[in-house]
Amino acid sequence: MRIAAFLVVLSLACSPFPARADDVSAAQDVIRAQEQAFVHDDASAAYSYAAPAIKQIFPAADIFMSMVQNGYAPVYRHKSFEFGDSKTEGNVVAQRVHIIDANGEAWEALYTLEQQADGSYKITGCSLLKAGQAV
């Protein structure tokens, strides 16, 4: 019985769940840092959190910032920005964010982030829907 208990404790100690919690925390830190860069109109900082594939589509920080201002206004300017559920799979984190925009309307954002070769996370995408809107 002691051996079985030891094996359970050992398997929990070696389980990937703590690393996953760290991954989610790291991903949330990136999202929050980008959100703060938007608040301060710091295009360079906001752009620095974008994944290489995003930078290929938007090859300069000012182009990226213009896209966010025009296409993601609730992300760019908001009253509330709170993390919801998250999911990890491999080196990808999906993070829901509940947003109340500048006009008081509720939105749901789904961020995806991918771990880079250096271990950092970069934002690979953001899908935005009004709260309650069908997909």
Side-chain angles (χ1 to χ4, degrees):
M1 189 63 171
R2 282 186 168 174
I3 292 173
F6 174 75
L7 291 175
V8 168
V9 169
L10 182 61
S11 69
L12 289 174
C14 296
S15 112
F17 292 119
R20 292 293 170 214
D22 289 346
D23 291 343
V24 168
S25 179
Q28 289 177 348
D29 287 347
V30 168
I31 295 167
R32 183 64 72 189
Q34 188 181 62
E35 177 257 346
Q36 286 299 299
F38 292 144
V39 166
H40 295 98
D41 287 316
D42 188 342
S44 295
Y47 189 64
S48 74
Y49 300 107
I54 300 298
K55 289 181 176 182
Q56 285 181 340
I57 299 167
F58 305 99
D62 59 329
I63 296 168
F64 173 76
M65 193 70 139
S66 178
M67 176 275 300
V68 172
Q69 290 168 340
N70 293 313
Y72 292 84
V75 172
Y76 179 66
R77 290 291 184 258
H78 51 270
K79 292 180 180 177
S80 171
F81 192 94
E82 300 298 327
F83 293 116
D85 295 337
S86 59
K87 182 179 179 180
T88 60
E89 188 171 318
N91 64 345
V92 175
V93 175
Q95 176 66 58
R96 289 196 182 280
V97 179
H98 309 292
I99 299 171
I100 304 297
D101 71 13
N103 299 321
E105 294 188 58
W107 295 81
E108 292 291 325
L110 177 62
Y111 280 82
T112 54
L113 299 91
E114 186 172 34
Q115 191 171 34
Q116 306 299 296
D118 67 359
S120 68
Y121 277 89
K122 298 288 183 182
I123 299 170
T124 57
C126 178
S127 300
L128 188 61
L129 291 173
K130 274 194 173 179
Q133 183 178 357
V135 177

